[in-house]
Amino acid sequence: MAITSANQLELLQTAEAVAREKMIDPDLVIQAMEDSLARAAKSRYGAEMDIRVSIDRKTGRARFTRVRTVVEDDAVENYQAQLTVAQAKQYKTAPQIGDEIVDEVPPVDLGRIAAQSAKQVILQKVREAERDRQFDEFKDRKGTIINGVVKREEYGNIIVDIGRGEAILRRNEKIGRESYRPNDRIRAYVKDVRRETRGPQVFLSRTDPQFMAELFKMEVPEIYDGIIEIKAVARDPGSRAKIAVISNDNSIDPVGACVGMRGSRVQAVVGELQGEKIDIIPWNADAATFLVNALQPAEVAKVVIDEEAGKIEVVVPDEQLSLAIGRRGQNVRLASQLTGLDIDILTEAEESSRRQAEFAERTKLFVDALDLDEFFAQLLVAEGFTNLEEVAYVDLDELLSIEGVDDGTAEELQARARDYIEAQNAKAIAAAKEMGVEQSLFDFDGLTPQMIEALAKDDVKTLEDFATCADWELAGGWTTVNGARVKDEGILEKFGMSLEDAQKLIMTARIQLGWVDPSELEAEDAPEEDDEEETEE
C-alpha cells in the first residue's frame, strides 16, 4: 500500500472511525499511524536511520524525514543518525552540538508484511490508549457505588459489565450466599482500581463497610448535603451492622433522619443488603458515652477506659451480659470495630469479685511488709493506698487524716515502709549483680533496682543493651494479629512504665553513650517550634 493522494484522506477517516469506536482521541490514533509508518520506513531504508513520519491533520499527507543529530567528533556511534560539526557545515552555516539536520525522504510503499506490521502497531497503540482512557475514567469512581449488569461467573467470582469496561466482584466480597445469573442488575462499591498489563482492573465489594455508608448517602439527603455526618461504620455482612452518625444542625435528629418516615430510608438500605439488621447510633466525642450507645440494645452500668492501652472495660448487669456480647460475640465485636477500642465485658458480680481480690491482695501486702494487723491494713487500702512507695513517701498529713492515726503511728508506718523498700532494693541489686549486670546500668538514672533485676532476667545487662531496646519492649503495647488485638508484655510494664517514659529513658541512654548528638535533636525540633509560633501569631 503506497501512501498516495488517493488514500491520504482515507487515513484521517480511518483514524476518526477508530477513535469514535474506541472512544479515544483521534490524535492518538494518528500518532499510532505515524509510529507504524516510521517503523515500516526503517525496514526499507535501514534500522539504524532515525526516520520520522508526520501526518498532516488536515490533508492526511504523510511526510517522511530522516533526522541526524550533530554530536562531538569522538561521540559518533551511529553514522546513519549522527554527524560531526564539520560534516554538518555542508548542510548548515554554523551548526552547534545538538542541532538536528532534517532531510525529506521519498515515501515508502508498504508491502504485505510491512502493512500487517503497521496494522499491529496501530492496534497496539489503540489498545494502550483505550486502557488509559478506561483507567482515567474509573480511577475517579473509586469509593463510590456503581451499577452494572452481571456478564458471567468464574469460580465464584462475578464479572460485571459497568458500561465502558468490566469489573470483578470476588467471591469473598459478596454478602452471605448471594448468587447471580447473567443479565441480573447489580449495585456494588468500587473498592479499588488498579492499572495492570492487561488493562485497568476494577474491584467491587458488597461487604465493605463503606458500601453501607454510600447507600445511606444516596437514601438520606441530609448526609449527601453534609448536614449529617457518618463518623464510623462496622458490619458483619448479611447479618448485622452499626453506623454512628452526628448532626451538624441541632434542629435535626441524625438517627431519625437516617431511619426516615416509618423506616422508609433505612429499609431501602436493608433491602439492598439482603436483610442486614442495622443499628443507627448517635456518635459522641466522649468515648465512654459513645461506647454505651454502641452497645445498644444492652444496658451499661459502668465504663472504665485505659486510653494508653486502647482498652476499655464495660460493666453490665448480670442479666444483660448475653445481650451485650450478642450471638457469637457479634454485638461486642461490632461495637469494638465502631469505637476502635478493645472491649472487655464484665458482669457486676465479676467486677465486684475482682475488686475484692485486689483489695485482699493489697491488704496482704501491707500486713506482710509493714507487720500490721488485718484491720489496719484494710483501712490503708480503703483510704486509697495501693503500694508501699505511697505509704513511705506520701506527705505525713495524708496519713494523719486517717482516723486513729497520730504522729507517732504515721512516722512508724513510713519508717517500716522505707526499711522494707530498702531491703527489697538491696536484694534486687544483689540478684542483678549475680546475673552479671554491669555498673553502667546501676549508675543510670531513672531505673530502680527492681527494674534492673527485671531487665537482667531478660538479658539486658549493660547500658548498651538498654539503649538498643525499643520503647514497646519496655512499656508493652498492642498489635493486631488476624484482626484481633494481642497484648505484648513489656519488661518494665508491671512497674507502671509508659511508652513516653520508655522513649525518654532510651534516648537519654543513647545520648550518654554518644550514639545520638543532642544538638541534632534540638535542630530537628526547632522548625516545629517555629511553625507553632507562626501559627500562634
Side-chain angles (χ1 to χ4, degrees):
M1 182 182 79
I3 305 298
T4 64
S5 58
N7 55 32
Q8 285 174 359
L9 288 174
E10 190 180 330
L11 276 178
L12 296 179
Q13 292 168 356
T14 303
E16 288 181 7
V18 171
R20 275 197 305 271
E21 182 187 347
K22 302 295 184 182
M23 287 176 289
I24 58 176
D25 186 353
D27 198 54
L28 293 173
V29 182
I30 293 175
Q31 287 175 18
M33 290 178 171
E34 289 172 343
D35 291 344
S36 65
L37 289 173
R39 182 175 295 188
K42 283 184 180 181
S43 66
R44 167 72 175 78
Y45 289 112
E48 292 181 349
M49 286 191 180
D50 184 2
I51 302 293
R52 300 178 191 177
V53 178
S54 61
I55 296 175
D56 190 291
R57 295 324 192 243
K58 292 182 179 178
T59 65
R61 179 179 178 273
R63 180 171 177 262
F64 290 73
T65 54
R66 174 192 181 188
V67 180
R68 287 175 290 175
T69 306
V70 180
V71 297
E72 295 178 0
D73 293 351
D74 57 351
V76 177
E77 295 178 354
N78 180 358
Y79 290 96
Q80 298 290 350
Q82 296 172 327
L83 71 171
T84 64
V85 174
Q87 292 170 336
K89 284 181 179 178
Q90 58 183 308
Y91 305 101
K92 199 173 184 180
T93 52
Q96 301 291 324
I97 302 296
D99 286 352
E100 291 185 342
I101 308 299
V102 180
D103 302 316
E104 192 163 349
V105 296
V108 298
D109 290 337
L110 296 184
R112 185 175 59 82
I113 296 175
Q116 190 66 24
S117 174
K119 182 181 178 182
Q120 290 299 324
V121 171
I122 292 171
L123 289 174
Q124 178 63 28
K125 292 284 185 181
V126 168
R127 275 196 293 268
E128 289 175 3
E130 190 179 9
R131 286 170 184 167
D132 288 341
R133 190 267 306 159
Q134 286 181 341
F135 179 76
D136 291 338
E137 179 181 344
F138 289 114
K139 71 178 180 181
D140 296 329
R141 301 290 301 274
K142 183 178 176 181
T144 64
I145 287 177
I146 200 167
N147 293 309
V149 176
V150 175
K151 289 186 74 174
R152 62 188 181 277
E153 184 173 350
E154 295 178 355
Y155 307 106
N157 302 323
I158 305 297
I159 307 302
V160 182
D161 181 353
I162 50 175
R164 297 181 182 178
E166 288 185 351
I168 183 170
L169 178 66
R170 295 187 185 277
R171 183 171 44 193
N172 61 335
E173 297 289 351
K174 293 190 292 185
I175 298 173
R177 299 180 179 272
E178 278 184 331
S179 61
Y180 295 96
R181 291 178 294 182
N183 298 320
D184 282 353
R185 294 201 64 78
I186 188 171
R187 182 187 285 182
Y189 177 75
V190 181
K191 191 171 185 179
D192 197 11
V193 181
R194 300 178 200 160
R195 191 194 292 271
E196 298 186 1
T197 51
R198 57 184 176 178
Q201 295 294 299
V202 181
F203 295 94
L204 305 179
S205 174
R206 285 176 55 81
T207 60
D208 194 285
Q210 288 306 312
F211 178 47
M212 187 176 78
E214 289 296 315
L215 286 172
F216 269 104
K217 190 181 291 186
M218 294 170 67
E219 295 294 336
V220 184
E222 290 87 347
I223 295 176
Y224 183 82
D225 294 336
I227 299 170
I228 293 174
E229 187 180 348
I230 297 173
K231 300 292 285 187
V233 184
R235 286 182 68 194
D236 192 350
S239 178
R240 196 176 194 89
K242 291 179 183 285
I243 181 168
V245 291
I246 186 172
S247 175
N248 296 319
D249 184 341
N250 293 333
S251 64
I252 295 177
D253 172 24
V255 175
C258 292
V259 172
M261 186 70 70
R262 296 181 182 175
S264 58
R265 291 174 175 177
V266 72
Q267 283 306 316
V269 178
V270 169
E272 182 64 47
L273 299 179
Q274 305 294 320
E276 194 169 308
K277 294 181 179 64
I278 301 174
D279 295 333
I280 303 171
I281 294 158
W283 185 84
N284 196 294
D286 179 58
T289 306
F290 181 33
L291 182 62
V292 170
N293 295 339
L295 281 170
Q296 291 177 0
E299 295 176 8
V300 176
K302 188 166 72 171
V303 174
V304 181
I305 298 177
D306 184 348
E307 291 182 355
E308 187 176 317
K311 191 174 180 180
I312 195 162
E313 284 185 352
V314 176
V315 181
V316 298
D318 293 16
E319 69 276 5
Q320 292 281 316
L321 180 63
S322 59
L323 192 61
I325 294 173
R327 186 181 178 188
R328 297 177 182 172
Q330 186 185 66
N331 194 52
V332 69
R333 185 172 65 251
L334 290 175
S336 179
Q337 291 174 18
L338 202 68
T339 57
L341 293 167
D342 192 49
I343 301 170
D344 282 344
I345 293 188
L346 305 173
T347 63
E348 290 176 332
E350 288 172 337
E351 196 223 3
S352 176
S353 62
R354 191 182 66 177
R355 276 207 315 268
Q356 289 172 8
E358 288 176 355
F359 190 89
E361 184 182 346
R362 289 169 185 168
T363 300
K364 187 175 185 304
L365 171 67
F366 292 146
V367 168
D368 295 343
L370 303 179
D371 192 22
L372 301 175
D373 59 46
E374 188 174 358
F375 173 77
F376 200 88
Q378 287 176 349
L379 193 60
L380 282 176
V381 177
E383 288 293 330
F385 290 94
T386 59
N387 55 56
L388 292 169
E389 283 76 11
E390 289 178 1
V391 177
Y393 303 110
V394 77
D395 190 70
L396 204 63
D397 289 340
E398 290 198 34
L399 287 173
L400 291 172
S401 66
I402 300 173
E403 188 177 349
V405 175
D406 55 22
D407 288 345
T409 307
E411 289 171 1
E412 177 64 20
L413 275 174
Q414 289 199 324
R416 290 186 188 182
R418 288 169 183 166
D419 288 347
Y420 186 85
I421 291 169
E422 287 172 8
Q424 292 298 108
N425 287 348
K427 185 178 176 183
I429 290 170
K433 285 182 177 179
E434 192 175 334
M435 285 186 277
V437 173
E438 292 187 3
Q439 190 61 37
S440 60
L441 203 57
F442 286 113
D443 295 339
F444 183 68
D445 288 337
L447 296 177
T448 66
Q450 283 82 5
M451 289 180 181
I452 294 172
E453 183 183 9
L455 289 167
K457 289 177 180 177
D458 214 76
D459 208 30
V460 178
K461 300 178 181 179
T462 67
L463 191 59
E464 287 83 357
D465 292 341
F466 182 77
T468 58
C469 289
D471 51 10
W472 60 268
E473 289 181 283
L474 300 182
W478 294 82
T479 53
T480 303
V481 180
N482 297 326
R485 288 170 63 80
V486 179
K487 184 73 177 73
D488 293 320
E489 296 294 337
I491 304 170
L492 304 180
E493 187 175 357
K494 63 182 178 181
F495 300 102
M497 177 72 67
S498 68
L499 275 173
E500 188 179 353
D501 292 339
Q503 289 167 1
K504 287 179 181 176
L505 286 174
I506 292 167
M507 190 54 66
T508 302
R510 291 172 181 174
I511 291 170
Q512 285 187 15
L513 290 167
W515 295 0
V516 175
D517 185 350
S519 61
E520 291 179 4
L521 292 176
E522 291 171 7
E524 288 176 8
D525 294 339
E528 295 179 6
E529 291 172 5
D530 293 343
D531 291 343
E532 287 174 8
E533 287 174 9
E534 289 175 11
T535 305
E536 287 170 7
E537 291 173 6

